[in-house]
Amino acid sequence: MSVMNSTFGKYRPRWQWPSTRNGGLVLLILLVLLARTAGPAGAQTTGAQYYRIVAGDKINVSVFGQPELSGEAIVDQNGNLRLPVIGDVPAANLTPSELEKSIGHFLEQGYVRRPVVSAKIAEYRPIYVLGMVRTPGLYPYRDGESVLAAIARAGGLGAPDQLGTGADLFQADERVRLLEVNRAALLLKQSRLRAQQAGDDRISFPDLSGLPVDGVRLAQIRDGEQAAFVAERKAEQQETEALEKQFPRLRAEIVAAKQQEELELKQRDLNHQLLADYEQLAKSGLARKPTYIEIKREEARIEENIARFKSDGLKAELAIGDLQFKIAELHNNYLRRAMVDLREADRSLLELSVTLPAAHRARIARARQIGWLTAEHDQPPPLVVIRSKGAATARYDATPDFPLQPGDIIQVGSLLPSSMELPAGPADRTGQRKAESGLQNAGVGPGERLP
């Protein structure tokens, strides 16, 4: 048996009994607002690329150009995925990328030539919430969900008239969580845009370890900004290099045009000497007029070539100037885009400086509407998470901020003394039967006892 411990952040919550005047002696879990402040060591969110498929997961399979072979299917209890044409394909304990290769291998056996297969988790297997909750049963898994959030989705341990308040508290807490993540993302994006504007080689990220955001999520956002920074720099560099590659050709054209012009100038000098000699012969009456005309034509052709080579050189010089302008404009466009995005990030952070405190106050107000437990009962509710690991199951004595995984079973124990416990109503028994049915689908037999 493994025991995973964690704290609730800087301050430990105090559990109190709700006032009997406000609706009975049944508890409502109200510490959603504190569950965000800390997580167990090594907590990780489910990474789709590393996730091992299990029975109950819904998989979306897409075969490029083959719509009749594409669709969604649920992994059965034998660990197989039933697909059109090829039938059952083993999927259990494979990652999505490994499943893609397996499906592609099956399709190549006389069905599709060089298939391009994409396999994604469309829906993880659900979680089960049992015990002292208003609506026990199974619920769709949400990435990054904690035990406390799952209990809140099950209505908490509250009387029916408190159920709406518990749902409001959960919604208020989700809004605060979202705003906190948005603030962290904007701060990291702001650092990346400032580095782009300054032309820095690296990003100086701020220390956000004090923010109430999961460390794994922060690392994912930081890695995304780093990847965007590298991609922007690489794109600008590639476009600049593509333009700069034209400089050697244009410079060679300028040199060639000048050389041709110099040769034509020499030809013109020789032609002038020939014309002078011919004019001397003409004075002696020994020259022929057609020959004289031919020499003058050659002189005009040479002048034309000289002008053309000068024009070619000037065109090449103008093209070099255009390229230099394009390179400068390219760099300025990247800077302008970074500046516009930076202004937008600054504006969003300014809005958050107003909306985030308001969201915190709203969450606190929702929690106060429920009431607090007395110091006499200052122990947290006993929570147990049962997790399947292959053919075996593991049991964790969990805390409210314990991170869940697909298929987990959450058992919520009672905090009420035995003399104060209320009998389960018909609705509770119905929910319990649904949850037990879901447990059997997850591999827990009817004869097995939950811890």
Side-chain angles (χ1 to χ4, degrees):
M1 179 179 69
S2 301
V3 179
M4 302 185 67
N5 298 319
S6 68
T7 62
F8 288 96
K10 187 174 180 181
Y11 301 103
R12 292 182 178 272
R14 296 186 63 82
W15 299 80
Q16 302 178 0
W17 296 106
S19 172
T20 55
R21 294 173 299 176
N22 291 334
L25 297 176
V26 185
L27 296 177
L28 179 65
I29 296 297
L30 46 100
L31 293 178
V32 177
L33 65 157
L34 298 174
R36 65 179 176 82
T37 58
Q44 294 185 0
T45 59
T46 302
Q49 67 273 30
Y50 304 113
Y51 177 72
R52 295 285 175 179
I53 297 170
V54 294
D57 288 337
K58 181 184 286 186
I59 311 298
N60 179 286
V61 178
S62 176
V63 182
F64 181 75
Q66 304 291 333
E68 68 280 1
L69 299 178
S70 305
E72 291 185 350
I74 297 177
V75 180
D76 61 25
Q77 292 302 311
N78 296 323
N80 295 325
L81 192 68
R82 176 153 293 183
L83 299 176
V85 180
I86 61 177
D88 290 343
V89 175
N93 206 34
L94 297 179
T95 65
S97 59
E98 291 172 347
L99 179 59
E100 290 173 357
K101 295 178 182 178
S102 178
I103 295 173
H105 175 72
F106 276 96
L107 290 174
E108 285 181 338
Q109 311 304 312
Y111 298 105
V112 181
R113 185 178 180 182
R114 295 180 182 177
V116 179
V117 181
S118 171
K120 297 180 180 178
I121 308 294
E123 185 177 313
Y124 296 99
R125 58 177 174 163
I127 59 173
Y128 305 87
V129 186
L130 306 177
M132 288 296 297
V133 290
R134 274 300 301 166
T135 53
L138 74 164
Y139 294 87
Y141 172 76
R142 293 179 180 176
D143 192 21
E145 187 169 25
S146 66
V147 168
L148 195 55
I151 293 173
R153 289 172 63 191
L157 298 180
D161 60 335
Q162 294 174 328
L163 184 58
T165 306
D168 290 344
L169 175 59
F170 178 64
Q171 292 176 357
D173 180 73
E174 278 195 325
R175 174 168 171 76
V176 171
R177 286 171 180 261
L178 179 62
L179 292 176
E180 291 286 7
V181 172
N182 286 345
R183 180 174 67 162
L186 286 170
L187 289 172
L188 295 174
K189 181 179 182 180
Q190 189 183 57
S191 301
R192 189 253 300 174
L193 294 172
R194 285 175 176 170
Q196 286 181 208
Q197 251 194 340
D200 296 338
D201 295 332
R202 57 185 299 274
I203 306 174
S204 297
F205 286 115
D207 181 13
L208 302 182
S209 58
L211 292 184
V213 180
D214 179 68
V216 175
R217 185 62 57 84
L218 274 178
Q220 291 174 344
I221 299 172
R222 189 183 298 110
D223 291 344
E225 292 299 333
Q226 181 64 37
F229 178 73
V230 172
E232 287 282 328
R233 284 175 57 85
K234 186 176 181 180
E236 181 182 1
Q237 184 178 1
Q238 288 177 342
E239 292 184 40
T240 302
E241 289 176 353
L243 293 174
E244 289 177 342
K245 286 181 180 178
Q246 302 181 44
F247 283 128
R249 176 182 59 81
L250 293 173
R251 293 191 180 101
E253 289 181 5
I254 293 173
V255 171
K258 288 184 177 179
Q259 290 175 347
Q260 292 292 332
E261 183 183 355
E262 291 175 356
L263 292 174
E264 292 295 330
L265 288 173
K266 291 179 181 179
Q267 285 291 108
R268 187 177 65 178
D269 292 341
L270 293 173
N271 195 71
H272 284 171
Q273 292 178 9
L274 179 61
L275 184 61
D277 294 341
Y278 198 82
E279 287 176 348
Q280 291 294 329
L281 292 174
K283 290 179 181 179
S284 304
L286 301 176
R288 297 175 59 191
K289 188 173 182 180
T291 304
Y292 178 78
I293 293 174
E294 187 64 30
I295 294 173
K296 294 295 287 185
R297 284 179 179 174
E298 180 66 17
E299 181 181 19
R301 185 188 65 78
I302 291 172
E303 292 292 343
E304 180 184 359
N305 288 341
I306 290 172
R308 179 165 55 83
F309 291 132
K310 284 183 178 180
S311 175
D312 291 344
L314 289 173
K315 288 179 181 178
E317 290 177 358
L318 287 174
I320 289 176
D322 288 341
L323 282 177
Q324 291 172 339
F325 175 79
K326 288 180 180 178
I327 291 173
E329 185 66 16
L330 174 68
H331 179 67
N332 290 335
N333 283 339
Y334 276 93
L335 289 181
R336 278 195 292 269
R337 188 165 61 190
M339 181 178 64
V340 171
D341 291 344
L342 183 58
R343 287 178 179 174
E344 182 65 21
D346 291 341
R347 184 187 64 80
S348 299
L349 283 171
L350 183 61
E351 290 179 355
L352 276 177
S353 66
V354 176
T355 57
L356 188 55
H360 277 286
R361 290 192 294 269
R363 185 179 61 181
I364 293 172
R366 296 292 187 276
R368 286 175 177 170
Q369 288 177 4
I370 299 174
W372 298 95
L373 303 177
T374 63
E376 177 181 71
H377 300 282
D378 160 84
Q379 296 297 321
L383 305 171
V384 174
V385 172
I386 302 169
R387 180 171 298 165
S388 298
K389 292 188 174 181
T393 57
R395 178 184 183 278
Y396 300 91
D397 293 332
T399 52
D401 54 345
F402 184 89
L404 297 176
Q405 293 183 8
D408 280 355
I409 303 166
I410 303 99
Q411 168 113 11
V412 183
S414 173
L415 285 180
L416 296 174
S418 56
S419 60
M420 294 186 180
E421 289 186 352
L422 302 178
D428 294 331
R429 286 194 292 268
T430 301
Q432 184 76 18
R433 285 195 297 271
K434 290 181 180 178
E436 290 173 353
S437 174
L439 285 179
Q440 294 177 14
N441 293 334
V444 180
E448 299 182 31
R449 293 178 59 84
L450 293 175

